[in-house]
Each structure stands twice: as C-alpha cells, then as structure tokens.
Amino acid sequence: MPHADLLRALRSAQHVFILTGAGTSAESNLPTFRDPGPHRGLWDNHRPEDLASPDAFAAHPARVQSWYGHRRRAALAAQPNPAHHAIAQLAQHVPKLTLVTQNVDGLHQRAGSKGVLELHGSLHRWHCVNTGEPVDDATLDAQLPQTPDDPPLRSPSGTGYVRPGVVWFGEGLPTDVLAKAEAAARTADVALSIGTSALVYPAAALPLLAKEAGAYTAEINPTPSAIAHQLDAAITQPAGVAMSELLRTLTAGINPDGV
Ligand code: OAD
C-alpha cells in the first residue's frame, strides 16, 4: 500500500503538480547527472557543469555538441518506463495535472503526457547560436560530431555553430515556462517531486512553493533529496515502482484507511 496520506490527498485533489528530474528516466537506462555510473565515457573527466555552459561551448563546441549528440541518441533509443506511463495515466484520473520536468529527453511526451512544461528545454530542438535558425533531425543524425575531435557542426547557412535548445548554467530558464510552473505550484493541492536531487534552482523551489501555498507535498526518490525533510512525505522507492503502485491503488479504489 503506497503512503496512505498521499493517496488520500490525491483522491480529493483538484490540481496535482508534478516535478520530475533525471531519476524519473533512470529506469529507462538514461544516466542521471549526479549518481555514480559507468556512463560518462568520452566525457568522463568533465562534470556536467563544465559541459553545459556558454563558456564551455565557446571554448570547445565539438566537445559540447558531441556530448549532447550522444545524449540525444541515447534518449531516442530509450523507451518510456513505468514512471513515465503512470504519470501520463494519472492525468486521466484527477481533474487537473500539471507536469513540470527538468528532463530534456522527451520521454514524458512519448509516454503520452500533454502540455509538459520543459523547464530546462529539450535535447531534440537545435538551432544556430547566431541566427536561431532551426536544424532538422536528418542533419543532426548525419552531421553532429561523434567525438570531441570531430569538426563542430555549423548551421545549414553556415552562420554559426548549432546548439541544443537546453538551458545551460549561467542562462535563464524560459520565463513563460517558469511562470506557468510557479503558478501551477501555487494552486495545486498535491505536489510530487519525483527523481530529482533538488539541488538546482529555481526548479527545486517549486515543491516548496506548493507547500507554502498549502499543498500536500511528497517526493519519490530511493535516496532522500536535499528538500526531503521539508516535504510531508518521502517515499524511498524507484519512481517506476512507486508510481505504478500509486496509480494501481488509486484506480482500484482501494481505501488507504482500509475501511
Ligand atoms: P540529479 O542527477 O541531480 O539527481 C537524480 C536524482 O534521481 C537523485 O536524487 C537520485 O537519488 C534519484 N534517482 C536515481 N534513480 C532513481 C529512480 N529509479 N527513481 C527515482 N529517483 C531516482 O538529476 P536532477 O535532479 O534532474 O540541469 O538534476 C537537476 C538538473 O541538474 C538537471 O536538469 C540538469 C543538471 O545539471 C541542466 O542541465 C540545466
């Protein structure tokens, strides 16, 4: 039986807010940023913060492009997992659900979630740094550098290098997306933080904003996050396990009070 208070809160919620992070895609075999793992390969000696910044891109565009190209291919090859599917299905069982993600992999959308607020952008939209000209998928498939030593990819018109439409350290989040996410956090009755270390702001502040505004708040993370102690409940299970169980109990009409 999932956490009884959370189940009770979900049963009566008019608006459910969900924030997800890289841990939500861990069961799709996509690496998180801060967990240890044998996944960094070519980029092993570079921390994400050293690759995900305008300075890193200016200093070595092929290194940054190849890292994102590698992540783009991995995301395209991955499949949504039970957590993505349960979140998409939960939206069918509550009056309103706002899904805000820090993930750039597109797996929520592929699981069927609609209106996903992508706080940190997407790996799947690339553009020229100088003109904003978009780059099509076929060009990315064929021409993104595979290693930091390959030549960097320029835009089709040759005006500048191409970059992914993700938010880098030192850059602002898309203001309209953040405003919608904050408004949703303030009006939700239940807020779930799933698979995020809650170390990167402003995303990490959203569940706390919901709590301040009176929501019941919980996180799902096998390792309690930086904000776990400030929330009403911390469910220490993998996202796929916890979300599937929650959805199953909710839709089976099982009463958390056992009456
Ligand atoms: P992190 O790598 O910081 O944290 C991943 C979290 O997922 C950790 O707290 C893990 O304990 C948890 N986790 C691992 N496996 C899990 C599972 N199966 N189910 C649930 N949780 C699991 O990733 P984020 O919090 O998403 O930003 O990182 C936030 C931001 O930092 C990213 O969006 C990215 C990064 O730098 C930008 O690129 C701007």
Side-chain angles (χ1 to χ4, degrees):
M1 166 79 65
H3 203 280
D5 289 342
L6 172 57
L7 207 49
R8 211 176 286 114
L10 280 173
R11 285 252 161 76
S12 57
Q14 292 301 308
H15 183 185
V16 175
F17 173 94
I18 296 183
L19 172 70
T20 63
T24 309
S25 295
E27 290 152 85
S28 298
N29 291 323
L30 293 180
T32 63
F33 292 93
R34 296 176 181 81
D35 295 310
H39 53 267
R40 294 210 180 138
L42 283 175
W43 301 271
D44 210 7
N45 48 358
H46 298 280
R47 296 182 309 138
E49 291 84 345
D50 298 335
L51 289 161
S53 75
D55 287 350
F57 186 67
H60 204 319
R63 177 181 294 143
V64 175
Q65 286 180 343
S66 58
W67 186 57
Y68 280 100
H70 165 83
R71 290 179 53 202
R72 171 180 175 270
R73 284 193 301 279
L76 289 171
Q79 294 303 321
N81 69 51
H84 298 110
H85 289 300
I87 292 168
Q89 285 167 33
L90 182 61
Q92 313 297 318
H93 295 279
V94 295
K96 180 175 178 186
L97 187 146
T98 302
L99 175 56
V100 180
T101 190
Q102 299 166 85
N103 298 346
V104 294
D105 56 33
L107 288 181
H108 283 303
Q109 291 88 338
R110 283 172 52 200
S113 284
K114 305 283 180 223
V116 184
L117 297 175
E118 294 182 309
L119 274 184
H120 294 168
S122 170
L123 272 177
H124 304 296
R125 297 186 293 270
W126 292 59
H127 62 271
C128 170
V129 281
N130 290 337
T131 63
E133 174 191 0
V135 189
D136 63 42
D137 287 344
T139 304
L140 296 172
D141 287 343
Q143 295 180 36
L144 271 177
Q146 302 275 322
T147 77
D149 297 325
D150 292 336
L153 176 59
R154 287 187 168 275
S155 60
S157 56
T159 45
Y161 294 125
V162 305
R163 62 163 286 178
V166 300
V167 176
W168 282 337
F169 287 94
E171 294 181 328
L173 272 62
T175 45
D176 54 332
V177 178
L178 180 60
K180 283 182 190 161
E182 287 174 343
R186 281 198 197 92
T187 54
D189 326 277
V190 175
L192 284 178
S193 177
I194 306 177
T196 176
S197 58
L199 290 169
V200 175
Y201 282 76
L206 293 168
L208 304 176
L209 195 59
K211 169 106 184 132
E212 258 173 51
Y216 179 86
T217 53
E219 79 164 19
I220 297 173
N221 193 321
T223 309
S225 78
I227 60 165
H229 62 286
Q230 297 181 68
L231 305 180
D232 295 303
I235 299 172
T236 50
Q237 286 181 317
V241 173
M243 285 308 296
S244 303
E245 179 68 4
L246 200 59
L247 184 74
R248 192 162 46 242
T249 314
L250 197 68
T251 54
I254 297 168
N255 188 328
D257 301 312
V259 293

